[in-house]
Amino acid sequence: LYVLCLLSIYYLASSQPSFNRKHYLKYNVAIFANMAVIDSNIYTSGLMTIEKPYINAGFFTKLNLSGDTIFTTTISDSLLTIWWQNCMKYTTEGNFLIAGDSVGKSRLLLIDTIGKVLKTKAFYSQFAPKNPRIYSRAICQTEHDSSLWILSKVDNGYKLDYIQLTKFSKNLDSLSKVIIGTPGLAAIPIFFGQINPNRYLLSGYYS
C-alpha cells in the first residue's frame, strides 16, 4: 500500500518544530503532485489509482499547518486522468486552477477552497484529431488582465514534439494557441512565467 508523506520544517528563532505525516487515501497508489500554502493552510492535489478495476482519480486536499487533514475531495476519472506537477495555481479570484490530462485532451478545473468544482474546460492539441496527445505542464496567470496560459507538450508524430501555449480568459473562455518547436526535434516544456505585461519566460529542452 502506497501512502503519502508530508514533511514540514519551520526555522524559528525560539524553536524548530517539524512534522512528518502519512496520509492514507484508501487507494493502491496516491501521489501529492502539487502543493500551496494559502492563509495558514496547506492545499494539495494529486493522483490516486486503484488496480482492480483500474481507475484513476484526482484528489484535492486541505490540511492545517500541523499536517492534519481538514478535507479531501475525490474527482472522478471521467473528468481527469493524471495531474502533473506544477499544474495547480491559486488565482487572483481566490480559487484554484488545476490542469491535467485525459484521453486525447487536457482539462482545466476551477476549484474553490472547500473543494467544490466550480467549472471545467476541455482543451485540445493543435494537431488533433490526427495526433491528439497533449500533456499539461504548467499554469501561469498574468497580473495585468488575469488571463491564463497553459503550458503543454503536444506531438505531431515520431520525434515531432512541440510546445503548445493555450490562452484563456479568467472565465476559462478559449482565446488563442501558440505552437513552438523545431521539426525533427522533441521539444519538452518545463516552465512558463510572466516578466512584465509584454514579456514572458519559457524554459524547456530538446531531445
Side-chain angles (χ1 to χ4, degrees), residues 28-78:
N28 289 27
V29 177
I31 301 169
F32 276 147
N34 307 284
M35 184 175 295
V37 179
I38 307 292
D39 296 331
S40 299
N41 292 290
I42 302 169
Y43 294 89
T44 70
S45 68
L47 170 72
M48 299 189 296
T49 300
I50 188 169
E51 293 181 353
K52 294 180 181 180
Y54 186 81
I55 297 172
N56 282 335
F59 68 86
F60 180 78
T61 300
K62 180 180 179 180
L63 309 100
N64 62 27
L65 292 181
S66 296
D68 302 312
T69 300
I70 299 173
F71 68 77
T72 295
T73 299
T74 301
I75 299 175
S76 167
D77 64 314
S78 64

mmCIF file of all heavy atoms in Angstrom, residues 28-78:
data_model
loop_
_atom_site.group_PDB
_atom_site.id
_atom_site.type_symbol
_atom_site.label_atom_id
_atom_site.label_comp_id
_atom_site.label_asym_id
_atom_site.label_seq_id
_atom_site.Cartn_x
_atom_site.Cartn_y
_atom_site.Cartn_z
ATOM 1 N N ASN A 28 -4.491 2.174 -3.968
ATOM 2 C CA ASN A 28 -3.212 1.483 -4.066
ATOM 3 C C ASN A 28 -2.051 2.443 -4.295
ATOM 4 O O ASN A 28 -0.950 2.234 -3.804
ATOM 5 C CB ASN A 28 -3.257 0.459 -5.211
ATOM 6 C CG ASN A 28 -4.139 -0.724 -4.866
ATOM 7 O OD1 ASN A 28 -5.061 -0.595 -4.073
ATOM 8 N ND2 ASN A 28 -3.864 -1.875 -5.438
ATOM 9 N N VAL A 29 -2.300 3.496 -5.070
ATOM 10 C CA VAL A 29 -1.267 4.497 -5.344
ATOM 11 C C VAL A 29 -1.868 5.869 -5.098
ATOM 12 O O VAL A 29 -2.974 6.159 -5.547
ATOM 13 C CB VAL A 29 -0.758 4.405 -6.798
ATOM 14 C CG1 VAL A 29 0.267 5.506 -7.068
ATOM 15 C CG2 VAL A 29 -0.140 3.038 -7.066
ATOM 16 N N ALA A 30 -1.163 6.708 -4.382
ATOM 17 C CA ALA A 30 -1.599 8.082 -4.155
ATOM 18 C C ALA A 30 -0.370 8.980 -4.162
ATOM 19 O O ALA A 30 0.612 8.705 -3.478
ATOM 20 C CB ALA A 30 -2.346 8.198 -2.828
ATOM 21 N N ILE A 31 -0.418 10.041 -4.939
ATOM 22 C CA ILE A 31 0.756 10.892 -5.147
ATOM 23 C C ILE A 31 0.372 12.349 -4.948
ATOM 24 O O ILE A 31 -0.561 12.847 -5.591
ATOM 25 C CB ILE A 31 1.323 10.717 -6.576
ATOM 26 C CG1 ILE A 31 1.713 9.255 -6.819
ATOM 27 C CG2 ILE A 31 2.531 11.626 -6.794
ATOM 28 C CD1 ILE A 31 2.032 8.959 -8.268
ATOM 29 N N PHE A 32 1.082 13.055 -4.060
ATOM 30 C CA PHE A 32 0.975 14.506 -3.993
ATOM 31 C C PHE A 32 1.721 15.079 -5.197
ATOM 32 O O PHE A 32 2.940 14.947 -5.305
ATOM 33 C CB PHE A 32 1.630 15.042 -2.716
ATOM 34 C CG PHE A 32 0.761 15.013 -1.500
ATOM 35 C CD1 PHE A 32 1.321 14.790 -0.253
ATOM 36 C CD2 PHE A 32 -0.598 15.230 -1.583
ATOM 37 C CE1 PHE A 32 0.536 14.779 0.892
ATOM 38 C CE2 PHE A 32 -1.401 15.223 -0.453
ATOM 39 C CZ PHE A 32 -0.826 14.994 0.781
ATOM 40 N N ALA A 33 1.012 15.750 -6.099
ATOM 41 C CA ALA A 33 1.654 16.318 -7.282
ATOM 42 C C ALA A 33 1.843 17.818 -7.164
ATOM 43 O O ALA A 33 2.739 18.387 -7.779
ATOM 44 C CB ALA A 33 0.843 15.994 -8.539
ATOM 45 N N ASN A 34 0.990 18.500 -6.398
ATOM 46 C CA ASN A 34 1.042 19.948 -6.281
ATOM 47 C C ASN A 34 0.788 20.345 -4.835
ATOM 48 O O ASN A 34 0.066 19.659 -4.107
ATOM 49 C CB ASN A 34 -0.025 20.608 -7.164
ATOM 50 C CG ASN A 34 0.043 20.143 -8.599
ATOM 51 O OD1 ASN A 34 0.905 20.565 -9.337
ATOM 52 N ND2 ASN A 34 -0.872 19.261 -8.981
ATOM 53 N N MET A 35 1.349 21.478 -4.433
ATOM 54 C CA MET A 35 1.150 21.941 -3.062
ATOM 55 C C MET A 35 1.251 23.458 -3.014
ATOM 56 O O MET A 35 2.069 24.065 -3.714
ATOM 57 C CB MET A 35 2.205 21.324 -2.141
ATOM 58 C CG MET A 35 2.026 21.664 -0.679
ATOM 59 S SD MET A 35 3.229 20.785 0.360
ATOM 60 C CE MET A 35 2.727 19.085 0.093
ATOM 61 N N ALA A 36 0.397 24.077 -2.188
ATOM 62 C CA ALA A 36 0.433 25.526 -1.996
ATOM 63 C C ALA A 36 0.041 25.830 -0.556
ATOM 64 O O ALA A 36 -0.819 25.155 0.018
ATOM 65 C CB ALA A 36 -0.511 26.224 -2.959
ATOM 66 N N VAL A 37 0.679 26.840 0.042
ATOM 67 C CA VAL A 37 0.325 27.301 1.384
ATOM 68 C C VAL A 37 -0.389 28.640 1.232
ATOM 69 O O VAL A 37 0.194 29.627 0.764
ATOM 70 C CB VAL A 37 1.565 27.443 2.275
ATOM 71 C CG1 VAL A 37 1.172 27.954 3.658
ATOM 72 C CG2 VAL A 37 2.306 26.115 2.390
ATOM 73 N N ILE A 38 -1.681 28.672 1.615
ATOM 74 C CA ILE A 38 -2.520 29.850 1.472
ATOM 75 C C ILE A 38 -3.244 30.082 2.792
ATOM 76 O O ILE A 38 -3.915 29.184 3.303
ATOM 77 C CB ILE A 38 -3.557 29.683 0.340
ATOM 78 C CG1 ILE A 38 -2.869 29.284 -0.971
ATOM 79 C CG2 ILE A 38 -4.390 30.947 0.177
ATOM 80 C CD1 ILE A 38 -1.993 30.344 -1.580
ATOM 81 N N ASP A 39 -3.135 31.287 3.336
ATOM 82 C CA ASP A 39 -3.873 31.668 4.548
ATOM 83 C C ASP A 39 -3.706 30.647 5.673
ATOM 84 O O ASP A 39 -4.689 30.193 6.286
ATOM 85 C CB ASP A 39 -5.354 31.862 4.221
ATOM 86 C CG ASP A 39 -5.597 33.010 3.251
ATOM 87 O OD1 ASP A 39 -4.793 33.954 3.264
ATOM 88 O OD2 ASP A 39 -6.579 32.953 2.493
ATOM 89 N N SER A 40 -2.467 30.248 5.929
ATOM 90 C CA SER A 40 -2.124 29.316 7.024
ATOM 91 C C SER A 40 -2.751 27.935 6.850
ATOM 92 O O SER A 40 -2.998 27.223 7.827
ATOM 93 C CB SER A 40 -2.535 29.908 8.385
ATOM 94 O OG SER A 40 -1.851 31.116 8.628
ATOM 95 N N ASN A 41 -3.011 27.547 5.611
ATOM 96 C CA ASN A 41 -3.471 26.199 5.298
ATOM 97 C C ASN A 41 -2.642 25.638 4.150
ATOM 98 O O ASN A 41 -2.094 26.392 3.340
ATOM 99 C CB ASN A 41 -4.952 26.183 4.915
ATOM 100 C CG ASN A 41 -5.866 26.509 6.077
ATOM 101 O OD1 ASN A 41 -6.012 25.731 7.012
ATOM 102 N ND2 ASN A 41 -6.471 27.691 6.026
ATOM 103 N N ILE A 42 -2.543 24.326 4.089
ATOM 104 C CA ILE A 42 -1.827 23.649 3.016
ATOM 105 C C ILE A 42 -2.857 23.022 2.083
ATOM 106 O O ILE A 42 -3.732 22.272 2.523
ATOM 107 C CB ILE A 42 -0.904 22.548 3.567
ATOM 108 C CG1 ILE A 42 0.102 23.145 4.554
ATOM 109 C CG2 ILE A 42 -0.181 21.812 2.431
ATOM 110 C CD1 ILE A 42 0.883 22.105 5.341
ATOM 111 N N TYR A 43 -2.770 23.346 0.799
ATOM 112 C CA TYR A 43 -3.650 22.758 -0.211
ATOM 113 C C TYR A 43 -2.806 21.888 -1.128
ATOM 114 O O TYR A 43 -1.739 22.314 -1.590
ATOM 115 C CB TYR A 43 -4.353 23.840 -1.020
ATOM 116 C CG TYR A 43 -5.316 24.674 -0.213
ATOM 117 C CD1 TYR A 43 -4.885 25.824 0.455
ATOM 118 C CD2 TYR A 43 -6.665 24.319 -0.114
ATOM 119 C CE1 TYR A 43 -5.767 26.596 1.194
ATOM 120 C CE2 TYR A 43 -7.549 25.085 0.628
ATOM 121 C CZ TYR A 43 -7.094 26.218 1.281
ATOM 122 O OH TYR A 43 -7.972 26.976 2.015
ATOM 123 N N THR A 44 -3.264 20.689 -1.383
ATOM 124 C CA THR A 44 -2.536 19.782 -2.271
ATOM 125 C C THR A 44 -3.507 19.182 -3.283
ATOM 126 O O THR A 44 -4.715 19.099 -3.055
ATOM 127 C CB THR A 44 -1.876 18.623 -1.500
ATOM 128 O OG1 THR A 44 -2.888 17.734 -1.016
ATOM 129 C CG2 THR A 44 -1.075 19.138 -0.326
ATOM 130 N N SER A 45 -2.965 18.762 -4.401
ATOM 131 C CA SER A 45 -3.733 17.977 -5.365
ATOM 132 C C SER A 45 -2.843 16.873 -5.889
ATOM 133 O O SER A 45 -1.617 16.942 -5.792
ATOM 134 C CB SER A 45 -4.251 18.844 -6.526
ATOM 135 O OG SER A 45 -3.170 19.294 -7.323
ATOM 136 N N GLY A 46 -3.453 15.834 -6.434
ATOM 137 C CA GLY A 46 -2.654 14.733 -6.936
ATOM 138 C C GLY A 46 -3.493 13.660 -7.586
ATOM 139 O O GLY A 46 -4.644 13.874 -7.970
ATOM 140 N N LEU A 47 -2.918 12.477 -7.678
ATOM 141 C CA LEU A 47 -3.489 11.353 -8.408
ATOM 142 C C LEU A 47 -3.647 10.160 -7.486
ATOM 143 O O LEU A 47 -2.759 9.863 -6.683
ATOM 144 C CB LEU A 47 -2.568 10.975 -9.579
ATOM 145 C CG LEU A 47 -2.872 9.677 -10.310
ATOM 146 C CD1 LEU A 47 -4.126 9.822 -11.157
ATOM 147 C CD2 LEU A 47 -1.698 9.276 -11.192
ATOM 148 N N MET A 48 -4.783 9.482 -7.584
ATOM 149 C CA MET A 48 -5.000 8.218 -6.886
ATOM 150 C C MET A 48 -5.342 7.156 -7.921
ATOM 151 O O MET A 48 -6.040 7.420 -8.895
ATOM 152 C CB MET A 48 -6.145 8.340 -5.881
ATOM 153 C CG MET A 48 -5.899 9.360 -4.806
ATOM 154 S SD MET A 48 -7.152 9.309 -3.494
ATOM 155 C CE MET A 48 -8.628 9.752 -4.381
ATOM 156 N N THR A 49 -4.851 5.942 -7.717
ATOM 157 C CA THR A 49 -5.097 4.843 -8.639
ATOM 158 C C THR A 49 -5.482 3.596 -7.856
ATOM 159 O O THR A 49 -4.851 3.260 -6.854
ATOM 160 C CB THR A 49 -3.850 4.538 -9.498
ATOM 161 O OG1 THR A 49 -3.523 5.703 -10.255
ATOM 162 C CG2 THR A 49 -4.112 3.380 -10.456
ATOM 163 N N ILE A 50 -6.498 2.911 -8.311
ATOM 164 C CA ILE A 50 -6.872 1.620 -7.756
ATOM 165 C C ILE A 50 -6.755 0.591 -8.871
ATOM 166 O O ILE A 50 -7.093 0.861 -10.027
ATOM 167 C CB ILE A 50 -8.299 1.650 -7.169
ATOM 168 C CG1 ILE A 50 -8.603 0.356 -6.427
ATOM 169 C CG2 ILE A 50 -9.349 1.956 -8.223
ATOM 170 C CD1 ILE A 50 -9.877 0.398 -5.607
ATOM 171 N N GLU A 51 -6.220 -0.594 -8.567
ATOM 172 C CA GLU A 51 -5.862 -1.549 -9.620
ATOM 173 C C GLU A 51 -7.022 -2.425 -10.078
ATOM 174 O O GLU A 51 -7.087 -2.812 -11.240
ATOM 175 C CB GLU A 51 -4.706 -2.426 -9.132
ATOM 176 C CG GLU A 51 -3.400 -1.644 -8.952
ATOM 177 C CD GLU A 51 -2.267 -2.528 -8.487
ATOM 178 O OE1 GLU A 51 -2.512 -3.703 -8.177
ATOM 179 O OE2 GLU A 51 -1.118 -2.038 -8.432
ATOM 180 N N LYS A 52 -7.937 -2.796 -9.196
ATOM 181 C CA LYS A 52 -8.997 -3.729 -9.586
ATOM 182 C C LYS A 52 -10.351 -3.164 -9.182
ATOM 183 O O LYS A 52 -10.725 -3.230 -8.015
ATOM 184 C CB LYS A 52 -8.765 -5.091 -8.923
ATOM 185 C CG LYS A 52 -7.511 -5.789 -9.403
ATOM 186 C CD LYS A 52 -7.337 -7.135 -8.713
ATOM 187 C CE LYS A 52 -6.059 -7.820 -9.180
ATOM 188 N NZ LYS A 52 -5.872 -9.135 -8.526
ATOM 189 N N PRO A 53 -11.139 -2.601 -10.146
ATOM 190 C CA PRO A 53 -10.759 -2.332 -11.543
ATOM 191 C C PRO A 53 -9.796 -1.151 -11.615
ATOM 192 O O PRO A 53 -9.721 -0.368 -10.671
ATOM 193 C CB PRO A 53 -12.094 -1.981 -12.189
ATOM 194 C CG PRO A 53 -12.880 -1.369 -11.073
ATOM 195 C CD PRO A 53 -12.494 -2.137 -9.829
ATOM 196 N N TYR A 54 -9.063 -1.032 -12.726
ATOM 197 C CA TYR A 54 -8.061 0.019 -12.855
ATOM 198 C C TYR A 54 -8.762 1.364 -13.062
ATOM 199 O O TYR A 54 -9.413 1.592 -14.075
ATOM 200 C CB TYR A 54 -7.120 -0.281 -14.018
ATOM 201 C CG TYR A 54 -5.968 0.697 -14.103
ATOM 202 C CD1 TYR A 54 -4.847 0.534 -13.295
ATOM 203 C CD2 TYR A 54 -6.021 1.786 -14.953
ATOM 204 C CE1 TYR A 54 -3.794 1.426 -13.350
ATOM 205 C CE2 TYR A 54 -4.970 2.690 -15.008
ATOM 206 C CZ TYR A 54 -3.866 2.496 -14.206
ATOM 207 O OH TYR A 54 -2.825 3.397 -14.248
ATOM 208 N N ILE A 55 -8.650 2.240 -12.084
ATOM 209 C CA ILE A 55 -9.314 3.536 -12.129
ATOM 210 C C ILE A 55 -8.328 4.603 -11.675
ATOM 211 O O ILE A 55 -7.637 4.437 -10.676
ATOM 212 C CB ILE A 55 -10.556 3.564 -11.209
ATOM 213 C CG1 ILE A 55 -11.601 2.556 -11.687
ATOM 214 C CG2 ILE A 55 -11.164 4.959 -11.155
ATOM 215 C CD1 ILE A 55 -12.754 2.399 -10.727
ATOM 216 N N ASN A 56 -8.277 5.694 -12.409
ATOM 217 C CA ASN A 56 -7.541 6.873 -11.980
ATOM 218 C C ASN A 56 -8.521 7.919 -11.470
ATOM 219 O O ASN A 56 -9.607 8.078 -12.014
ATOM 220 C CB ASN A 56 -6.744 7.485 -13.135
ATOM 221 C CG ASN A 56 -5.471 6.721 -13.417
ATOM 222 O OD1 ASN A 56 -4.932 6.065 -12.547
ATOM 223 N ND2 ASN A 56 -4.997 6.809 -14.646
ATOM 224 N N ALA A 57 -8.155 8.619 -10.442
ATOM 225 C CA ALA A 57 -8.972 9.714 -9.935
ATOM 226 C C ALA A 57 -8.055 10.785 -9.378
ATOM 227 O O ALA A 57 -6.974 10.492 -8.877
ATOM 228 C CB ALA A 57 -9.932 9.222 -8.856
ATOM 229 N N GLY A 58 -8.481 12.037 -9.481
ATOM 230 C CA GLY A 58 -7.734 13.119 -8.875
ATOM 231 C C GLY A 58 -8.246 13.388 -7.475
ATOM 232 O O GLY A 58 -9.351 12.992 -7.104
ATOM 233 N N PHE A 59 -7.428 14.050 -6.669
ATOM 234 C CA PHE A 59 -7.893 14.467 -5.356
ATOM 235 C C PHE A 59 -7.395 15.876 -5.047
ATOM 236 O O PHE A 59 -6.398 16.348 -5.592
ATOM 237 C CB PHE A 59 -7.456 13.489 -4.260
ATOM 238 C CG PHE A 59 -5.975 13.466 -3.985
ATOM 239 C CD1 PHE A 59 -5.398 14.356 -3.091
ATOM 240 C CD2 PHE A 59 -5.154 12.536 -4.611
ATOM 241 C CE1 PHE A 59 -4.035 14.333 -2.839
ATOM 242 C CE2 PHE A 59 -3.791 12.506 -4.366
ATOM 243 C CZ PHE A 59 -3.228 13.405 -3.474
ATOM 244 N N PHE A 60 -8.139 16.551 -4.193
ATOM 245 C CA PHE A 60 -7.815 17.895 -3.736
ATOM 246 C C PHE A 60 -7.976 17.893 -2.226
ATOM 247 O O PHE A 60 -9.037 17.535 -1.709
ATOM 248 C CB PHE A 60 -8.756 18.913 -4.392
ATOM 249 C CG PHE A 60 -8.501 20.343 -3.989
ATOM 250 C CD1 PHE A 60 -7.444 21.044 -4.546
ATOM 251 C CD2 PHE A 60 -9.329 20.987 -3.092
ATOM 252 C CE1 PHE A 60 -7.206 22.369 -4.188
ATOM 253 C CE2 PHE A 60 -9.101 22.308 -2.732
ATOM 254 C CZ PHE A 60 -8.040 23.001 -3.286
ATOM 255 N N THR A 61 -6.908 18.250 -1.488
ATOM 256 C CA THR A 61 -6.890 18.095 -0.035
ATOM 257 C C THR A 61 -6.491 19.402 0.639
ATOM 258 O O THR A 61 -5.620 20.119 0.146
ATOM 259 C CB THR A 61 -5.887 16.990 0.373
ATOM 260 O OG1 THR A 61 -6.268 15.760 -0.227
ATOM 261 C CG2 THR A 61 -5.840 16.813 1.870
ATOM 262 N N LYS A 62 -7.131 19.671 1.754
ATOM 263 C CA LYS A 62 -6.757 20.811 2.593
ATOM 264 C C LYS A 62 -6.262 20.279 3.935
ATOM 265 O O LYS A 62 -6.897 19.414 4.539
ATOM 266 C CB LYS A 62 -7.957 21.732 2.813
ATOM 267 C CG LYS A 62 -7.660 22.953 3.682
ATOM 268 C CD LYS A 62 -8.903 23.812 3.840
ATOM 269 C CE LYS A 62 -8.648 25.025 4.724
ATOM 270 N NZ LYS A 62 -9.868 25.864 4.861
ATOM 271 N N LEU A 63 -5.107 20.790 4.392
ATOM 272 C CA LEU A 63 -4.533 20.412 5.673
ATOM 273 C C LEU A 63 -4.200 21.669 6.462
ATOM 274 O O LEU A 63 -3.997 22.742 5.880
ATOM 275 C CB LEU A 63 -3.257 19.580 5.486
ATOM 276 C CG LEU A 63 -3.316 18.364 4.561
ATOM 277 C CD1 LEU A 63 -2.722 18.706 3.200
ATOM 278 C CD2 LEU A 63 -2.551 17.199 5.168
ATOM 279 N N ASN A 64 -4.129 21.530 7.774
ATOM 280 C CA ASN A 64 -3.621 22.650 8.561
ATOM 281 C C ASN A 64 -2.099 22.560 8.637
ATOM 282 O O ASN A 64 -1.491 21.612 8.120
ATOM 283 C CB ASN A 64 -4.270 22.689 9.948
ATOM 284 C CG ASN A 64 -3.963 21.449 10.778
ATOM 285 O OD1 ASN A 64 -2.939 20.783 10.606
ATOM 286 N ND2 ASN A 64 -4.864 21.137 11.699
ATOM 287 N N LEU A 65 -1.480 23.537 9.283
ATOM 288 C CA LEU A 65 -0.019 23.591 9.310
ATOM 289 C C LEU A 65 0.606 22.558 10.237
ATOM 290 O O LEU A 65 1.826 22.442 10.314
ATOM 291 C CB LEU A 65 0.444 24.995 9.690
ATOM 292 C CG LEU A 65 0.167 26.084 8.650
ATOM 293 C CD1 LEU A 65 0.693 27.424 9.135
ATOM 294 C CD2 LEU A 65 0.768 25.741 7.294
ATOM 295 N N SER A 66 -0.248 21.803 10.946
ATOM 296 C CA SER A 66 0.246 20.675 11.739
ATOM 297 C C SER A 66 0.178 19.369 10.960
ATOM 298 O O SER A 66 0.566 18.316 11.461
ATOM 299 C CB SER A 66 -0.575 20.544 13.036
ATOM 300 O OG SER A 66 -0.403 21.684 13.850
ATOM 301 N N GLY A 67 -0.335 19.437 9.737
ATOM 302 C CA GLY A 67 -0.424 18.251 8.899
ATOM 303 C C GLY A 67 -1.712 17.473 9.033
ATOM 304 O O GLY A 67 -1.852 16.393 8.458
ATOM 305 N N ASP A 68 -2.679 17.991 9.807
ATOM 306 C CA ASP A 68 -3.965 17.304 9.967
ATOM 307 C C ASP A 68 -4.858 17.575 8.760
ATOM 308 O O ASP A 68 -4.970 18.726 8.308
ATOM 309 C CB ASP A 68 -4.678 17.783 11.236
ATOM 310 C CG ASP A 68 -3.835 17.565 12.483
ATOM 311 O OD1 ASP A 68 -3.302 16.448 12.636
ATOM 312 O OD2 ASP A 68 -3.702 18.512 13.279
ATOM 313 N N THR A 69 -5.518 16.535 8.261
ATOM 314 C CA THR A 69 -6.387 16.684 7.101
ATOM 315 C C THR A 69 -7.697 17.346 7.509
ATOM 316 O O THR A 69 -8.377 16.896 8.430
ATOM 317 C CB THR A 69 -6.680 15.318 6.470
ATOM 318 O OG1 THR A 69 -5.447 14.717 6.056
ATOM 319 C CG2 THR A 69 -7.585 15.466 5.251
ATOM 320 N N ILE A 70 -8.060 18.423 6.821
ATOM 321 C CA ILE A 70 -9.342 19.098 7.039
ATOM 322 C C ILE A 70 -10.407 18.504 6.134
ATOM 323 O O ILE A 70 -11.523 18.228 6.561
ATOM 324 C CB ILE A 70 -9.191 20.610 6.821
ATOM 325 C CG1 ILE A 70 -8.169 21.172 7.827
ATOM 326 C CG2 ILE A 70 -10.536 21.322 6.946
ATOM 327 C CD1 ILE A 70 -7.814 22.612 7.591
ATOM 328 N N PHE A 71 -10.081 18.289 4.854
ATOM 329 C CA PHE A 71 -10.976 17.552 3.964
ATOM 330 C C PHE A 71 -10.185 17.033 2.777
ATOM 331 O O PHE A 71 -9.100 17.526 2.460
ATOM 332 C CB PHE A 71 -12.154 18.415 3.474
ATOM 333 C CG PHE A 71 -11.765 19.540 2.532
ATOM 334 C CD1 PHE A 71 -11.471 19.301 1.200
ATOM 335 C CD2 PHE A 71 -11.705 20.834 2.990
ATOM 336 C CE1 PHE A 71 -11.111 20.328 0.337
ATOM 337 C CE2 PHE A 71 -11.340 21.879 2.145
ATOM 338 C CZ PHE A 71 -11.050 21.613 0.816
ATOM 339 N N THR A 72 -10.728 16.022 2.120
ATOM 340 C CA THR A 72 -10.207 15.510 0.853
ATOM 341 C C THR A 72 -11.371 15.339 -0.107
ATOM 342 O O THR A 72 -12.372 14.701 0.226
ATOM 343 C CB THR A 72 -9.483 14.162 1.024
ATOM 344 O OG1 THR A 72 -8.319 14.343 1.832
ATOM 345 C CG2 THR A 72 -9.041 13.601 -0.330
ATOM 346 N N THR A 73 -11.261 15.926 -1.291
ATOM 347 C CA THR A 73 -12.268 15.786 -2.336
ATOM 348 C C THR A 73 -11.705 14.907 -3.443
ATOM 349 O O THR A 73 -10.615 15.174 -3.956
ATOM 350 C CB THR A 73 -12.657 17.157 -2.917
ATOM 351 O OG1 THR A 73 -13.215 17.966 -1.881
ATOM 352 C CG2 THR A 73 -13.664 17.005 -4.045
ATOM 353 N N THR A 74 -12.415 13.841 -3.790
ATOM 354 C CA THR A 74 -12.017 12.978 -4.903
ATOM 355 C C THR A 74 -12.739 13.424 -6.157
ATOM 356 O O THR A 74 -13.940 13.683 -6.142
ATOM 357 C CB THR A 74 -12.364 11.510 -4.602
ATOM 358 O OG1 THR A 74 -11.692 11.109 -3.410
ATOM 359 C CG2 THR A 74 -11.923 10.604 -5.743
ATOM 360 N N ILE A 75 -12.003 13.520 -7.258
ATOM 361 C CA ILE A 75 -12.564 13.982 -8.522
ATOM 362 C C ILE A 75 -12.502 12.850 -9.527
ATOM 363 O O ILE A 75 -11.443 12.271 -9.765
ATOM 364 C CB ILE A 75 -11.821 15.232 -9.029
ATOM 365 C CG1 ILE A 75 -11.979 16.352 -7.995
ATOM 366 C CG2 ILE A 75 -12.338 15.679 -10.378
ATOM 367 C CD1 ILE A 75 -11.200 17.587 -8.300
ATOM 368 N N SER A 76 -13.636 12.529 -10.114
ATOM 369 C CA SER A 76 -13.799 11.344 -10.947
ATOM 370 C C SER A 76 -12.843 11.323 -12.118
ATOM 371 O O SER A 76 -12.495 12.356 -12.685
ATOM 372 C CB SER A 76 -15.241 11.291 -11.466
ATOM 373 O OG SER A 76 -15.367 10.349 -12.508
ATOM 374 N N ASP A 77 -12.430 10.099 -12.505
ATOM 375 C CA ASP A 77 -11.567 9.939 -13.673
ATOM 376 C C ASP A 77 -12.272 10.316 -14.962
ATOM 377 O O ASP A 77 -11.634 10.452 -16.002
ATOM 378 C CB ASP A 77 -11.062 8.495 -13.770
ATOM 379 C CG ASP A 77 -12.178 7.506 -14.003
ATOM 380 O OD1 ASP A 77 -13.205 7.598 -13.307
ATOM 381 O OD2 ASP A 77 -12.036 6.654 -14.886
ATOM 382 N N SER A 78 -13.612 10.471 -14.931
ATOM 383 C CA SER A 78 -14.312 10.929 -16.132
ATOM 384 C C SER A 78 -13.976 12.384 -16.439
ATOM 385 O O SER A 78 -14.149 12.856 -17.557
ATOM 386 C CB SER A 78 -15.829 10.785 -15.951
ATOM 387 O OG SER A 78 -16.286 11.615 -14.907
#
